[in-house]
Amino acid sequence: MFIGVGRWCARRPWRVVAAWLLLLVAALVALAAFGRVTSEAVSIPGSDSESARAVAADAFPGPASGQQPVLLHTAPEGVPLTSPEAAAAVRAAAAGIAAVPHVVSVITPYDAGHPSPTSADGHTAQLLVGLDVTGREVTPGTTEAVLAAAAPATAAGIEVTPGGYLAAAVDKGSTGRSEAIGLGAALVILTLVLGSTVAAGLPLVAGVLGLGIALPVLGLVGHVMDVPEAGETVAAMIGLGVGIDYTLFGLTRFRELRAADVPVEEAAASTTAASGKAVAFAGSAVVAALAGLALGGLPLLYALALAPAIAVVTAIAVNLTLLPALLVLLGSRLSPRPASPSPAGRPRGWGRIATLVAARPWPLLLTGLALLGLLAAPAAGLRPGQLDAGSKPAGSMSRTAYDRTAAAFGPGANGVLQVVGVLPGGAPAAGSGADPRLDAVTSALRGAEGVASVGAPAVAADGRTALWQVTPAAAPADPATARLVHRLRADVLPDAAGPATTVHVGGTPAAQADLNARIAQRMPVVVGFVLAVAGLLLLLAFRSPVVALKAAVMNLVSVAAAYGVLTAVFQHGRGARLLGLEGAVAVPGYVPLLLFAVLFGLSMDYEVFLLSAVRTAYLDTKDNRRAVVAGLTATGRVISSAALIMVAVFLSYLLSDDPVVKMFGVGLATAVALDATVVRGLLVPSTMVLLGDGNWWLPGWLDRLLPHMDIEGDGRQPSTTLPTEGARVPSSPAVVPTRTR
């Protein structure tokens, strides 16, 4: 099938290129027409916070996005907001904001009944702005219109800073600079490796084109489900990295075939049959690993899995169809430069490393394990937490609103909890506080450790639902706030409300605590699924239980090392300032889980290309040690080059202001670098040398049960001879196609 697809595209190159360009234009036009939508909303079906949100939404209907704060602030030496002059300016600003499209209500500090908050010193207050659109539909234009309408307050010397969704819409950053730097670094690496600017540009064109289609598709998906901004960024990181790497593997195969005087069209078709098939297998492994996140049962994980999966599927499609067309069109301009032969009997580069590993497997194995163990050690203390606007860069709108709110009302004012109670039989005097059940809950909340203040309970029109606004003493990201949530649910509220009253604790800090708890609960299931899928795919590919099990263990080791670096840098703050952070920040629970799935999928790329070469050499000679040397020699250069490109792409995203994006950049770059060097260069070959022929043990019953797969090629190429020690070896495993027994 693969060679047929490659041949069809190679014979119709202009049609294929035109089809992909039309697809790109269609995606961009659709995005321009409907817009890209992201949302940071967190929904945890079946959780207590979700129950609180649903009950409150039914009993206290309000604006679609809730009440968004607009902070008003005057300097200590300025006129307080309680003065008549300031009040007149604020009222005029509120009237202007009320006329902004999508604004349905504005609550001021001067309203009777339920005014918006004002600080004790009178220099900070809030306007509460209700919008008829959801948080993901709030645009920077809405925020700009609100600021423009607040001109009367600004003219009176009052600083106006939107918060909530209004600030988040403005603070959304672009990753264009990171992508440009990543592409520039990739171009330099590819030019050095391939020795041709034209050849170096081909993987970049393929990677950018795939990303240009995947990201608009993901932006459109945001209209039907909540896609966090970090999901788009991870999709860009993964899509660009695998898009370039997959094309590099194919281009390397094509250049080897051309060096062997294979005609251009046939070389392009054979490239699709060989490396294209391996890319499809490896990419499918990435998607399968990401699919395991669906077992987490969280909409957030669905989105974070779908985003990079779309990018990977697009990269596979580009590699299987567009690449053979471009190979034919560029033809001889992609030819490799002649390589200088190595001195007889003296291996170079990866050949020398392979020979050293085969000669001293035990010392190098123990050295590699010691290094990874040292890096992984901090992971034992990884404690998933939650981020808040306090981790945003200084000067951003969200950070300014956060800091001023904390200074005026206390740090917990940035993450108010909502306690919702459902009273059997209703309250006899709705809203009066005369119900002893309301008084009991209010007193218990005010006396609870870690609570700064509790508002009077609001009773819904039905008389059955009460709502308390509870301000914690600590900031939303402080672990003390999560402990407060658990304490209210487990001890304080059950005792105060009694068995007949149902009470839920909601709000953003509660939702984040529920998210981390759900992820911790489901993580063993997700990890088990990913391990099983990865092991099964490797078993199908290489027909060896030992190889499959060993690969899974090695992947776990490299992931643990990445977790250790993540913990040391972000949770402990070691070197955090070098990344543009002010210090230690919490690691959200979904970050390690998504990293696990992505890294297990990406590691399959290098595993497939390395083991394909080793297995083929072993089937040719039945000499395990020589097969390991030949396989590592043949794949070392292309794997290290591909990994270097990925690391450069991932590290370029450290320029982002978002701490989560930095976490993914550090985690992915660390894992890929270790995987391509320590794991594939030392641990895998040394263990294979030590295991000897046991690597390829396969019980007869399993041999009969497993299908015969041909990962590198269409099964019709003749086998190659094993290179003699020191001889020049091909730079990719594609020249040693996997054969079946």
Side-chain angles (χ1 to χ4, degrees):
M1 181 186 76
F2 287 89
I3 195 169
V5 171
R7 184 170 287 116
W8 191 94
C9 295
R11 290 175 177 174
R12 302 165 181 84
W14 287 113
R15 294 186 193 179
V16 174
V17 172
W20 276 100
L21 290 178
L22 286 175
L23 185 59
L24 174 63
V25 171
L28 295 176
V29 169
L31 184 66
F34 299 102
R36 172 183 283 113
V37 173
T38 60
S39 172
E40 305 306 318
V42 177
S43 174
I44 308 100
S47 67
D48 191 57
S49 60
E50 188 66 17
S51 297
R53 186 202 61 78
V55 172
D58 290 340
F60 302 93
S65 63
Q67 303 288 352
Q68 301 306 304
V70 174
L71 208 68
L72 308 172
H73 178 74
T74 59
E77 64 275 9
V79 177
L81 295 171
T82 53
S83 67
E85 300 87 351
V90 171
R91 286 193 177 98
I97 293 173
V100 171
H102 300 300
V103 174
V104 294
S105 65
V106 180
I107 300 175
T108 75
Y110 319 108
D111 291 352
H114 296 284
S116 59
T118 302
S119 64
D121 63 4
H123 286 282
T124 304
Q126 288 182 346
L127 296 178
L128 299 179
V129 179
L131 304 172
D132 63 2
V133 293
T134 61
R136 67 182 178 186
E137 296 171 319
V138 177
T139 65
T142 302
T143 307
E144 292 167 3
V146 167
L147 284 171
T154 305
I158 300 172
E159 295 183 59
V160 180
T161 308
Y165 292 135
L166 292 169
V170 174
D171 289 340
K172 288 180 180 178
S174 170
T175 59
R177 183 174 56 164
S178 296
E179 275 123 25
I181 293 175
L183 287 172
L187 178 61
V188 172
I189 296 168
L190 287 168
T191 302
L192 294 174
V193 171
L194 300 174
S196 165
T197 304
V198 175
L202 181 58
L204 300 185
V205 170
V208 171
L209 179 65
L211 201 61
I213 294 173
L215 289 184
V217 170
L218 186 58
L220 298 175
V221 169
H223 288 279
V224 296
M225 65 183 298
D226 290 326
V227 177
E229 187 177 0
E232 281 199 338
T233 305
V234 173
M237 296 167 71
I238 302 300
L240 194 58
V242 300
I244 293 174
D245 276 10
Y246 289 171
T247 307
L248 173 61
F249 291 136
L251 177 59
T252 302
R253 169 64 169 165
F254 176 79
R255 283 156 60 98
E256 289 164 351
L257 292 171
R258 290 292 295 138
D261 295 327
V262 177
V264 172
E265 185 179 302
E266 186 61 30
S270 297
T271 295
T272 306
S275 62
K277 184 182 293 186
V279 161
F281 180 86
S284 299
V286 178
V287 175
L290 290 169
L293 294 178
L295 298 175
L298 294 169
L300 174 66
L301 294 182
Y302 301 156
L304 290 175
L306 180 64
I310 290 175
V312 172
V313 169
T314 306
I316 295 172
V318 168
N319 195 271
L320 295 179
T321 58
L322 180 63
L323 180 59
L326 293 177
L327 292 175
V328 169
L329 292 176
L330 295 175
S332 59
R333 301 181 67 186
L334 301 173
S335 298
R337 62 186 177 187
S340 56
S342 60
R346 295 183 59 187
R348 297 188 308 176
W350 279 99
R352 182 179 301 174
I353 295 174
T355 303
L356 178 63
V357 172
R360 298 177 177 84
W362 273 116
L364 294 177
L365 172 63
L366 296 177
T367 300
L369 289 175
L371 174 60
L372 294 180
L374 182 65
L375 293 175
L382 178 60
R383 299 291 182 269
Q386 53 184 284
L387 296 173
D388 56 27
S391 63
K392 297 288 185 180
S396 64
M397 192 173 288
S398 296
R399 177 65 180 276
T400 301
Y402 177 93
D403 289 342
R404 288 179 174 171
T405 299
F409 305 103
N414 285 295
V416 176
L417 299 173
Q418 292 187 338
V419 175
V420 183
V422 179
L423 310 173
S432 68
D435 192 318
R437 293 169 297 181
L438 299 181
D439 294 338
V441 172
T442 303
S443 298
L445 288 172
R446 288 174 176 168
E449 180 186 354
V451 171
S453 64
V454 179
V459 180
D462 62 6
R464 298 184 65 252
T465 307
L467 174 65
W468 291 264
Q469 301 284 350
V470 179
T471 302
D478 193 316
T481 301
R483 291 195 295 270
L484 171 62
V485 171
H486 295 309
R487 189 162 54 250
L488 292 178
R489 289 172 175 170
D491 301 322
V492 176
L493 293 174
D495 293 340
T501 302
T502 303
V503 185
H504 305 287
V505 180
T508 300
Q512 293 290 345
D514 288 342
L515 175 65
N516 286 335
R518 180 70 61 84
I519 289 175
Q521 178 187 10
R522 297 292 181 88
M523 191 161 186
V525 177
V526 175
V527 170
F529 175 84
V530 173
L531 285 173
V533 168
L536 178 60
L537 290 173
L538 288 170
L539 179 61
L540 291 173
F542 301 109
R543 307 179 64 76
S544 168
V546 174
V547 166
L549 178 61
K550 178 174 58 63
V553 172
M554 293 299 176
N555 290 345
L556 282 175
V557 171
S558 62
V559 170
Y563 280 4
V565 173
L566 194 72
T567 304
V569 173
F570 294 96
Q571 184 173 302
H572 298 161
R574 296 170 187 166
R577 294 185 181 276
L578 298 177
L579 302 181
L581 299 174
E582 296 179 11
V585 296
V587 178
Y590 64 85
V591 171
L593 190 61
L594 180 59
L595 274 177
F596 180 85
V598 170
L599 292 174
F600 241 82
L602 291 179
S603 67
M604 292 287 286
D605 296 354
Y606 305 143
E607 194 78 16
V608 166
F609 285 99
L610 171 60
L611 293 182
S612 293
V614 175
R615 174 175 163 78
T616 298
Y618 178 78
L619 293 177
D620 283 339
T621 66
K622 301 302 181 183
D623 186 329
N624 181 75
R625 182 182 294 268
R626 292 187 65 198
V628 172
V629 172
L632 183 57
T633 302
T635 61
R637 185 167 179 264
V638 69
I639 287 178
S640 58
S641 300
L644 187 58
I645 292 170
M646 273 205 181
V647 170
V649 170
F650 295 153
L651 290 181
S652 68
Y653 283 87
L654 296 181
L655 297 175
S656 171
D657 291 331
D658 190 340
V660 173
V661 174
K662 294 180 187 289
M663 291 176 194
F664 282 116
V666 169
L668 291 171
T670 300
V672 169
L674 293 174
D675 194 75
T677 54
V678 179
V679 175
R680 307 301 159 203
L682 297 179
L683 300 188
V684 171
S686 61
T687 53
M688 294 190 77
V689 169
L690 292 171
L691 289 171
D693 291 341
N695 287 298
W696 314 108
W697 170 77
L698 182 66
W701 64 270
L702 188 56
D703 187 19
R704 293 186 295 271
L705 183 63
L706 292 176
H708 289 264
M709 299 182 65
D710 182 25
I711 301 302
E712 282 282 350
D714 59 4
R716 296 180 296 175
Q717 296 98 325
S719 67
T720 59
T721 57
L722 190 69
T724 58
E725 197 71 35
R728 180 177 179 270
V729 295
S731 58
S732 104
V735 297
V736 279
T738 301
R739 302 183 314 173
T740 56
R741 299 187 189 189

